[in-house]
Amino acid sequence: MSQRKGKQKEAAKRRAGISIRLQLTVGFLIPVLFMVGIGLISYTKASEGLIRNYEASACTVLEMTMASFDEAMQTISAITLELAQDKTVNSYALGGYQSDTSKQGQAKTTISNNINVKQTASWMIESIHIIPVDGVEIITTQRQEASGMESFIGEMKNAQEGELLADGYLHWGSSHDFVDEKMNTGDYILYCSRSFNSGDIRGLILVDVSEKAIADLLSEVDLGPGSYVSFITAEGREVSSDASFSAKDLAQINWEGGADYVDYQGQKYFYMTAVSSVTGGRMIAMVPKSYITKSSEEIRNITLILVVIACAAALLISTCVIAGISGNIKRSVKRLDEVSKGNLAESAKREHPAHNEFGKLHEAMSNTVVRMRELIQAVSDMKDEVLSSGDTVMVSGNELSSLIESVSMQMEEINDIIALQNGEVTECNGQMEELSVQIKNVSSSIFNTIENITNSRKMIDDGMETVDEMARQSRQTADATREVQEHVMRLAGKLEEIAEFVSDIQNIASQTNLLSLNASIEAARAGEHGRGFSVVASEIRSLADDSARTAEEIQKIIEEVSVYSHSAIQKVEEAEGISKGQMESAKHTTAAFHQMNEIMEGLVESMQQVTRDVDEMNHDRKQALKSIHSIGESSGSTVKAADEVRSILESQMQSAESLKAETGRMKENMRQLEEAIETFKL
């Protein structure tokens, strides 16, 4: 009983672990955590996508604004070119009507009407000025009092704006101070000018771009609250949508174009820049990052609210589910604890389990307890009958064991007589086996000798093949040596031919040297007229000396090569003699191997005769051994039969002992079963 209680305690310790409530709680929390993760990832991705889309659309808006600005500037460039190429404007501005006051007045009226019309063609134009030659009145769309002003183009040539008159190209700029001083021009931010001339006489077309028009264009760019848009000319003049903002103060901006984030007044701004392809000016827009991320923050708040609601719903549902599961498990555990203590009695209280899996489990467990109670009751009823049958089996086992011991003693006496006969046969058999071993040893030695002789013959054959290969290689070496000797002889012949050519070169150099000497003498006779020829003769003599020295060097090299050639021929002859000696040695070696092979064949025939004699002796030995084996087999069969009978008796003896032991264990088990049944309350 104490052992059973100890096992129950150990089983309870092993079952102790993480509770079902905790496991289910963790199981519900994991999807909740996944939902939180999904919410965070969704917010991050949505935020990044919104920011990228806003940045791209903002850059597109700025580029479109710059494109609109460039289109307006191209229109102004076209108006400036058209006025500079107008014949009436050219004639008036270059003084073509100074002699005719009537035509000059008509031309002035025509030009005034024309420039007024062109000013209305572009909402960006502040005013148009036509500055003619000195002595002719300026035509402008600015104010009436400026129209009667005489030209000051002569003074303008010496001012800073004089560079506008230097060529006939279009010029874009930000300010013309001299013209402003003379004409008191209006508010402008840019101007476009082009001069035209007839000889040294020049006129100038000047079109001012309205600062207010550009400010209106910038104000139309709506990038959100707190945004700034500014335009800066190539000379640094700036107009902004907000008077308090100046883009020139931002040192971190890349003015060559692009977009990035920058710090301004303690906040993070997204800036974009665009460069005008017409004027060279730059447009910059700055948007607060907080405005860009405003939509993503709203998504974040909505996501957080939904995640919190989902978490609360999950926790509520999990609490209800866990409570139901926990109640069913507690009832089941309580009933199992009672069963583990031996209480199988039917409960007086009628339980109504839930209609779910845990309720079905509790009902199945209750049915199992009922079946266990019925089984233990049946076992208790049968234990007395099993104990009575065990006593009867034990008595029968004792009688069988006594009978088997008597038969076993008689079989031992028969086995001793047969063993004595079998010993004598075994001794005779051993002597024959020793003779057989000796014959086998002799036969094995003979076979080993024959095998060694066969291997020796194979080695002799291999040696003969090797000697033949050496002879063949010696012949190839001799052939190669003869070819080398022939090539060296041919080389010696070629060296002799080269020596003849060198001799001819030496003769030519000598003749050339003599001719140069004669030429020098003739040049000396010619005096001043032959000085050039003397230089040529000196060069020819120098060339002849160099040729002679080169020929001598070649002659020395040929002599050295000839010495090496003769030495090589001698070495080749010596090698040829050695090759012939090797061939003779190979022939003698081959003959010796043939003699050794004949001796080995005679020895093999002798050993084979000895082998045949040994085989006849072995045949006689086998006949005698066969007779002895027949006698031994007869005795062995008798001994084997006796052993089998004894083995059967021993097996029956062991079975009887096992039967008695099993009967004793069965009685002990039935006693323990009776004690175990008594622990249950039925």
Side-chain angles (χ1 to χ4, degrees):
M1 293 293 292
S2 60
Q3 292 179 353
R4 188 178 296 110
K5 290 181 179 179
K7 291 181 180 180
Q8 291 177 354
K9 291 180 179 179
E10 291 178 359
K13 290 180 179 179
R14 287 195 298 269
R15 289 194 299 269
I18 301 175
S19 65
I20 295 294
R21 180 186 295 273
L22 180 58
Q23 293 178 12
L24 291 174
T25 303
V26 173
F28 276 102
L29 285 178
I30 289 175
V32 172
L33 293 177
F34 273 111
M35 292 177 62
V36 173
I38 291 171
L40 293 175
I41 294 172
S42 302
Y43 161 69
T44 303
K45 296 295 183 182
S47 177
E48 292 176 355
L50 289 172
I51 291 173
R52 284 196 298 269
N53 292 335
Y54 186 89
E55 291 175 354
S57 59
C59 292
T60 302
V61 169
L62 186 66
E63 290 172 357
M64 292 177 62
T65 304
M66 179 56 77
S68 176
F69 173 80
D70 283 344
E71 184 178 357
M73 295 303 104
Q74 287 175 354
T75 302
I76 293 174
S77 297
I79 291 173
T80 304
L81 288 172
E82 186 178 350
L83 290 174
Q85 295 172 358
D86 187 90
K87 293 182 179 180
T88 304
V89 173
N90 274 261
S91 298
Y92 177 84
L94 297 177
Y97 300 121
Q98 282 184 324
S99 59
D100 191 338
T101 306
S102 175
K103 288 184 178 181
Q104 188 177 36
Q106 291 177 359
K108 182 178 180 181
T109 302
T110 301
I111 294 170
S112 296
N113 294 333
N114 187 17
I115 61 176
N116 284 324
V117 172
K118 291 187 180 300
Q119 182 174 352
T120 58
S122 176
W123 58 279
M124 282 281 189
I125 298 176
E126 173 69 20
S127 57
I128 301 175
H129 313 291
I130 299 177
I131 303 176
V133 298
D134 291 335
V136 180
E137 293 182 355
I138 295 173
I139 302 176
T140 179
T141 61
Q142 184 179 354
R143 290 189 301 273
Q144 290 296 328
E145 58 269 20
S147 299
M149 182 183 297
E150 289 189 1
S151 176
F152 45 81
I153 198 166
E155 299 178 18
M156 187 177 176
K157 291 179 180 180
N158 299 323
Q160 185 177 359
E161 286 84 346
E163 61 185 11
L164 303 179
L165 305 173
D167 52 46
Y169 299 111
L170 280 175
H171 289 276
W172 283 94
S174 299
S175 61
H176 38 68
D177 297 337
F178 183 79
V179 177
D180 295 342
E181 182 181 352
K182 292 291 186 179
M183 298 181 61
N184 193 20
T185 55
D187 295 332
Y188 67 94
I189 188 67
L190 286 169
Y191 70 84
C192 179
S193 69
R194 187 175 188 274
S195 65
F196 51 91
N197 67 306
S198 175
D200 295 335
I201 303 173
R202 284 193 174 274
L204 180 66
I205 306 297
L206 195 63
V207 180
D208 291 334
V209 179
S210 173
E211 181 177 359
K212 182 178 181 302
I214 294 180
D216 293 340
L217 176 65
L218 298 179
S219 63
E220 292 177 359
V221 180
D222 185 12
L223 297 176
S227 300
Y228 302 106
V229 185
S230 179
F231 176 78
I232 302 175
T233 65
E235 288 77 16
R237 292 188 64 187
E238 181 179 7
V239 57
S240 177
S241 60
D242 190 333
S244 63
F245 173 73
S246 176
K248 293 189 292 184
D249 298 335
L250 300 174
Q252 304 174 5
I253 292 179
N254 181 11
W255 294 105
E256 299 301 323
D260 202 350
Y261 284 90
V262 66
D263 294 326
Y264 178 70
Q265 293 183 350
Q267 295 186 29
K268 185 74 74 174
Y269 281 81
F270 175 70
Y271 79 86
M272 303 152 284
T273 58
V275 181
S276 172
S277 60
V278 179
T279 67
R282 293 168 176 81
M283 193 174 293
I284 179 172
M286 293 182 62
V287 184
K289 186 178 180 181
S290 58
Y291 176 75
I292 298 175
T293 59
K294 182 179 179 181
S295 299
S296 62
E297 290 176 355
E298 293 176 355
I299 293 174
R300 180 193 61 189
N301 296 333
I302 294 172
T303 303
L304 289 176
I305 292 171
L306 292 176
V307 167
V308 170
I309 293 173
C311 292
L315 290 175
L316 180 61
I317 294 171
S318 65
T319 302
C320 296
V321 172
I322 291 170
I325 293 173
S326 178
N328 289 320
I329 291 175
K330 283 181 178 180
R331 287 194 297 272
S332 299
V333 170
K334 182 179 179 181
R335 182 56 177 158
L336 288 175
D337 286 338
E338 293 177 354
V339 172
S340 66
K341 295 175 182 178
N343 184 11
L344 296 178
E346 187 175 359
S347 177
K349 183 180 180 181
R350 185 64 179 173
E351 296 180 352
H352 299 282
H355 297 287
N356 54 23
E357 285 78 4
F358 284 94
K360 294 178 181 179
L361 176 63
H362 183 72
E363 185 178 1
M365 184 190 66
S366 300
N367 294 333
T368 302
V369 172
V370 172
R371 295 296 299 166
M372 287 177 62
R373 185 170 61 251
E374 293 175 354
L375 177 62
I376 292 172
Q377 185 66 49
V379 171
S380 178
D381 295 338
M382 293 176 65
K383 71 179 185 338
D384 295 333
E385 296 179 4
V386 173
L387 286 173
S388 177
S389 299
D391 293 337
T392 304
V393 170
M394 182 172 288
V395 172
S396 300
N398 290 331
E399 293 177 356
L400 178 62
S401 179
S402 299
L403 180 61
I404 290 171
E405 286 178 358
S406 176
V407 175
S408 178
M409 290 174 64
Q410 294 177 4
M411 291 303 300
E412 286 290 339
E413 293 177 359
I414 296 171
N415 195 24
D416 291 339
I417 296 170
I418 295 172
L420 182 60
Q421 295 176 354
N422 193 27
E424 294 176 356
V425 172
T426 303
E427 184 178 358
C428 182
N429 189 25
Q431 293 175 357
M432 293 302 295
E433 289 292 340
E434 291 179 359
L435 178 60
S436 176
V437 170
Q438 292 175 0
I439 293 172
K440 288 182 179 179
N441 291 335
V442 173
S443 178
S444 177
S445 300
I446 293 170
F447 281 119
N448 290 334
T449 304
I450 293 174
E451 185 177 358
N452 292 332
I453 292 170
T454 304
N455 293 333
S456 299
R457 291 179 61 187
K458 185 177 180 182
M459 292 172 64
I460 291 169
D461 293 338
D462 293 340
M464 292 174 66
E465 291 179 359
T466 303
V467 171
D468 291 338
E469 180 65 21
M470 290 173 60
R472 186 181 63 79
Q473 292 179 357
S474 298
R475 288 193 295 272
Q476 291 178 353
T477 304
D479 294 339
T481 304
R482 282 194 295 274
E483 290 180 3
V484 172
Q485 186 176 10
E486 291 175 0
H487 292 164
V488 173
M489 295 298 291
R490 291 177 184 174
L491 177 61
K494 295 297 181 180
L495 289 174
E496 290 177 359
E497 293 178 3
I498 294 172
E500 292 177 1
F501 289 143
V502 171
S503 178
D504 293 339
I505 292 171
Q506 288 177 341
N507 292 332
I508 292 170
S510 177
Q511 292 295 327
T512 304
N513 198 4
L514 182 60
L515 288 174
S516 66
L517 181 61
N518 292 333
S520 298
I521 294 170
E522 292 298 328
R525 289 178 180 176
E528 186 66 27
H529 297 288
R531 179 175 298 174
F533 190 67
S534 175
V535 174
V536 174
S538 176
E539 293 295 329
I540 293 172
R541 184 167 59 255
S542 176
L543 182 60
D545 292 339
D546 292 340
S547 299
R549 284 193 296 272
T550 303
E552 290 176 359
E553 294 294 333
I554 295 172
Q555 185 66 34
K556 290 179 181 179
I557 294 171
I558 291 170
E559 291 174 358
E560 292 178 359
V561 174
S562 297
V563 172
Y564 293 148
S565 298
H566 289 303
S567 176
I569 292 170
Q570 292 176 359
K571 296 296 183 182
V572 169
E573 291 175 352
E574 292 176 3
E576 187 176 6
I578 293 169
S579 298
K580 291 179 179 179
Q582 289 178 350
M583 291 174 65
E584 292 296 328
S585 299
K587 290 179 181 178
H588 293 311
T589 305
T590 303
F593 277 129
H594 280 298
Q595 292 177 0
M596 291 172 64
N597 197 15
E598 292 174 357
I599 294 170
M600 289 295 180
E601 288 178 354
L603 182 59
V604 169
E605 291 178 358
S606 299
M607 296 304 294
Q608 288 176 349
Q609 183 61 40
V610 174
T611 302
R612 288 193 289 272
D613 295 338
V614 171
D615 288 339
E616 291 178 359
M617 292 171 62
N618 194 26
H619 179 71
D620 296 338
R621 179 194 60 81
K622 288 181 179 178
Q623 292 297 329
L625 189 61
K626 185 175 182 182
S627 299
I628 294 171
H629 282 169
S630 298
I631 298 170
E633 287 176 357
S634 298
S635 299
S637 299
T638 305
V639 173
K640 185 176 181 182
D643 288 338
E644 288 179 355
V645 172
R646 185 177 59 188
S647 177
I648 292 170
L649 292 174
E650 290 177 353
S651 177
Q652 290 180 354
M653 179 69 82
Q654 292 176 358
S655 298
E657 294 293 333
S658 299
L659 183 60
K660 289 195 293 183
E662 290 298 328
T663 304
R665 281 195 293 270
M666 184 179 68
K667 293 179 69 176
E668 178 64 22
N669 291 334
M670 292 305 296
R671 187 184 62 80
Q672 294 179 0
L673 179 62
E674 186 177 6
E675 292 179 356
I677 292 173
E678 290 176 355
T679 61
F680 288 100
K681 186 186 296 183
L682 303 177

